[in-house]
Amino acid sequence: MKFYSTNNPSVRVSMEEALLRSLPADRGLYMPETIPFMGVDFFNSISGGSLSDIGFQISSALFKDSIPSDKLEELVHHAFPFDTPVVTLEDGKTHVLELFHGPSLAFKDVGARYMAAMMGYFLEKSNREVHILVATSGDTGGAVAMGFLGVPGIKVTILYPSGRVSELQEKQLTTLGQNITAIEVDGSFDDCQALVKTAFTDSELNQQFSLASANSINIFRLIPQSFYYARAYGQVKHLGKPVVFSTPSGNFGNLSAGALAYKMGLPVQQFIASTNRNYVVPKYLETGIYEPKPSVETISNAMDVGAPSNFVRLTHLFDDNFEALKQILSGYYFDDEQTKQAMAAVYQQFDYVMCPHTAVGYLGLKNYQQSHPDVCGISLATAHPAKFKELVESVIHKPVEIPAELEELMNRPKHSFKMKADFTEFKEFLLQTA
Ligand SMILES: *Cc1c(COP(=O)(O)O)cnc(C)c1O
C-alpha cells in the first residue's frame, strides 16, 4: 500500500515513510492510495470477531505487501489487548460503543497503540531511532505516553499547558519515566502546539533528530479507528435494523475513520457529527461554507477545536462532493447546559454514567432519531467518566471510581520540566538531551 498527499495526489510514498514522517513536505495529509473494498460478506461474517481479529483482517488487506502476515498478526494482537464493547441502553435503539477500555481510558489508545506497534516494527528492522514530539490538551498525551512506553527506538517528548489538564491526565503524562519526557509549559495548549510546529520546521533539530508526530494528522492513528466501527456493526447486526453512528468530534479523526470504514463497505445508514459549540462542521453541513474559527472553551474540552485538522480527509474521502457527504453525514451541536442535562438524564433513566464528550454524541443521536425513530443508534463513548471525575460528580451527585490500574498512578511522584512558552529554551532542551 502506498500513500499520497492531499495537496499533491501524484506524490506516492511507502507505508514506512508515511508512518515515520507523519506529514508530507507539501503540508498536505497522507491518505492511502486505494481503500480496499472488504465487501458486505466480510462485515456480515464478523459478529463474533474481537477487535484484534477484525483489525488483523483489515490490516492484511491494507498492508500485506509491507509486513509479513504472521508479524502483522502479532503486532495487531499486541496493540489491542482490550475490547470495544457495545452496551445497550434501549434494546435495538440506543447503544453506546465503549472505546475507553485501553490503558489511558480514552479512544485515542486505539490509534496510539497501533501506531506504536507499527513504528516499533519498522524502526527495529532498520535499526533507526525517532523522536516523537506531541502537544496535548490532555487525552492525546496520555494515550501516546502509555502507547509508546518502552517501545525500542522511540523517544517521546510531551508538552502540556501547566494547570490546564486534569489531575489524572497529568499523572499519565508525568509518572511513567523511561522513554517518556513531559514538559510543563507556562502557557496554553496553542502555545504548546506552536512550539511543536516550529520544532518540525527547524533545520538544526531536523538534522539532529528524526522527528515524528503522534497527533491525528498521522494516518496510522486513524486507520485502526475504522476497526471498532466494524466491530460494533458485528455486535448489532443480528437486530436487522439500519445502523447509525454518532461520533463526538473535535479534530474529526474519529469521524474520518468511520468514513474510511464506510468506504471499505461497512453498511451504515448515517453518520452523525456531534460537536460542542465549536460547530464549524455542523454549520458547514447546513450551509456548504467551511469557516474555521478560533476555538471556544467548553466542558467537553478535548473537542474544543475551531479548525479541525482532519476536515480535509473527510471531504477527500467523498471526492470533495458536498452533496455526497451531506447524504451520509448529519451534524448537530450542543452547549454545556444541554450536555450536563444529558449526562444527568442518562444517569437517571439508564443508570449509566457518561463523560461530557460522550454526552454530546448521545445528544446528536437523539436529535437524529427524532426524525428517524426506527434506526439502531450507536453513540461512541470516547472517554471513561473518571477522566473528568470532578465535573461528572458535580452533575450526577454520585462518586465516580477511578479504575484500579490508574489509581496506582495517582500515588506515583510527578516528574516534569517546567518551561516558558519560548522556542529557544525548548530547542536547547531538546539538543541537550540528544
Ligand atoms: C480527542 C477526543 C475527542 C475528539 O476526537 P477527534 O478525533 O479529534 O474528533 C472526543 N472525545 C474525547 C474524550 C477525546 O479525547
Side-chain angles (χ1 to χ4, degrees):
M1 173 66 66
K2 293 228 183 311
F3 290 79
Y4 69 89
S5 163
T6 50
N7 275 356
N8 185 354
S10 65
V11 167
R12 288 287 185 281
V13 304
S14 67
M15 172 184 183
E16 183 172 353
E17 187 171 343
L19 175 65
L20 296 176
R21 282 177 56 111
S22 311
L23 261 188
D26 63 19
R27 298 271 135 188
L29 293 171
Y30 284 124
M31 288 292 278
E33 171 177 48
T34 52
I35 296 168
F37 188 73
M38 307 295 293
V40 174
D41 286 350
F42 169 75
F43 291 109
N44 282 337
S45 71
I46 56 175
S47 304
S50 67
L51 181 67
S52 56
D53 291 337
I54 295 165
F56 171 58
Q57 292 188 58
I58 298 176
S59 299
S60 295
L62 284 157
F63 306 130
K64 60 176 177 290
D65 58 347
S66 308
I67 302 180
S69 182
D70 52 344
K71 190 69 203 175
L72 189 58
E73 184 163 16
E74 185 188 315
L75 293 171
V76 176
H77 281 273
H78 177 75
F80 305 130
F82 52 89
D83 200 5
T84 51
V86 169
V87 171
T88 300
L89 299 187
E90 291 173 282
D91 201 21
K93 182 162 189 203
T94 314
H95 305 264
V96 180
L97 170 55
E98 291 188 344
L99 301 174
F100 52 68
H101 295 285
S104 83
L105 306 185
F107 80 95
K108 292 187 173 78
D109 285 322
V110 172
R113 291 188 60 87
Y114 187 87
M115 189 178 151
M118 298 296 153
M119 274 193 170
Y121 168 75
F122 284 110
L123 292 173
E124 190 188 323
K125 222 171 61 137
S126 57
N127 208 3
R128 284 167 56 193
E129 282 196 0
V130 298
H131 196 140
I132 290 177
L133 301 181
V134 61
T136 185
S137 56
D139 274 352
T140 299
V144 168
M146 296 188 131
F148 286 82
L149 180 69
V151 178
I154 299 180
K155 254 179 99 158
V156 180
T157 300
I158 299 171
L159 291 85
Y160 71 97
S162 183
R164 299 201 200 178
V165 302
S166 79
E167 197 186 347
L168 179 60
Q169 285 173 331
E170 187 169 43
K171 290 285 180 183
Q172 291 178 345
L173 306 174
T174 59
T175 63
L176 297 173
Q178 297 185 46
N179 57 334
I180 313 294
T181 303
I183 299 182
E184 187 174 350
V185 176
D186 185 11
S188 65
F189 167 67
D190 290 336
D191 293 328
C192 298
Q193 194 149 40
L195 290 173
V196 168
K197 281 197 174 148
T198 311
F200 278 114
T201 59
D202 185 274
S203 53
E204 199 181 344
L205 288 176
N206 279 288
Q207 258 165 25
Q208 194 75 35
F209 304 107
S210 178
L211 295 176
S213 165
N215 285 99
S216 63
I217 49 169
N218 194 308
I219 183 75
F220 288 87
R221 244 188 70 183
L222 212 129
I223 286 170
Q225 291 176 211
S226 65
F227 307 161
Y228 51 67
Y229 286 91
R231 166 89 180 106
Y233 175 78
Q235 289 169 84
V236 298
K237 186 188 77 78
H238 68 277
L239 297 167
K241 286 182 157 190
V243 174
V244 307
F245 286 99
S246 175
T247 306
S249 295
N251 246 330
F252 281 80
N254 207 356
L255 192 71
S256 299
L260 199 60
Y262 177 70
K263 290 282 157 177
M264 291 173 190
L266 185 70
V268 175
Q269 167 165 307
Q270 193 78 0
F271 289 97
I272 301 160
S274 302
T275 74
N276 57 30
R277 281 191 307 116
N278 295 282
Y279 48 51
V280 188
V281 173
K283 282 271 191 228
Y284 165 75
L285 291 167
E286 233 170 85
T287 62
I289 301 162
Y290 178 65
E291 228 178 337
K293 289 187 177 345
S295 65
V296 296
E297 269 186 49
T298 75
I299 56 168
S300 46
N301 58 10
M303 311 198 309
D304 293 351
V305 181
S309 49
N310 284 297
F311 177 74
V312 172
R313 283 203 169 109
L314 196 58
T315 53
H316 222 77
L317 282 165
F318 291 89
D319 302 320
D320 296 311
N321 181 337
F322 178 66
E323 289 305 322
L325 180 64
K326 219 178 119 125
Q327 262 190 13
I328 188 77
L329 183 64
S330 304
Y332 305 103
Y333 59 91
F334 305 94
D335 64 23
D336 285 353
E337 207 40 54
Q338 292 170 300
T339 307
K340 286 186 192 170
Q341 275 169 15
M343 289 163 71
V346 167
Y347 179 58
Q348 269 190 351
Q349 210 179 336
F350 305 114
D351 198 22
Y352 187 85
V353 183
M354 288 179 169
C355 88
H357 311 80
T358 303
V360 169
Y362 174 82
L363 281 167
L365 176 62
K366 288 295 127 186
N367 233 295
Y368 180 79
Q369 282 179 327
Q370 281 176 11
S371 50
H372 301 82
D374 295 327
V375 298
C376 171
I378 302 178
S379 188
L380 276 61
T382 48
H384 191 290
K387 282 202 105 165
F388 305 91
K389 189 172 157 61
E390 278 170 27
L391 176 90
V392 175
E393 287 178 345
S394 76
V395 175
I396 66 166
H397 307 293
K398 190 201 115 175
V400 175
E401 308 241 321
I402 295 180
E405 314 87 270
L406 285 174
E407 193 65 62
E408 192 262 321
L409 279 189
M410 299 300 278
N411 300 322
R412 291 201 207 171
K414 161 181 161 183
H415 293 287
S416 68
F417 295 90
K418 291 207 175 200
M419 204 175 277
K420 290 203 194 64
D422 176 67
F423 182 68
T424 315
E425 199 180 330
F426 177 48
K427 182 172 166 176
E428 274 304 302
F429 178 85
L430 289 174
L431 290 171
Q432 269 169 25
T433 57

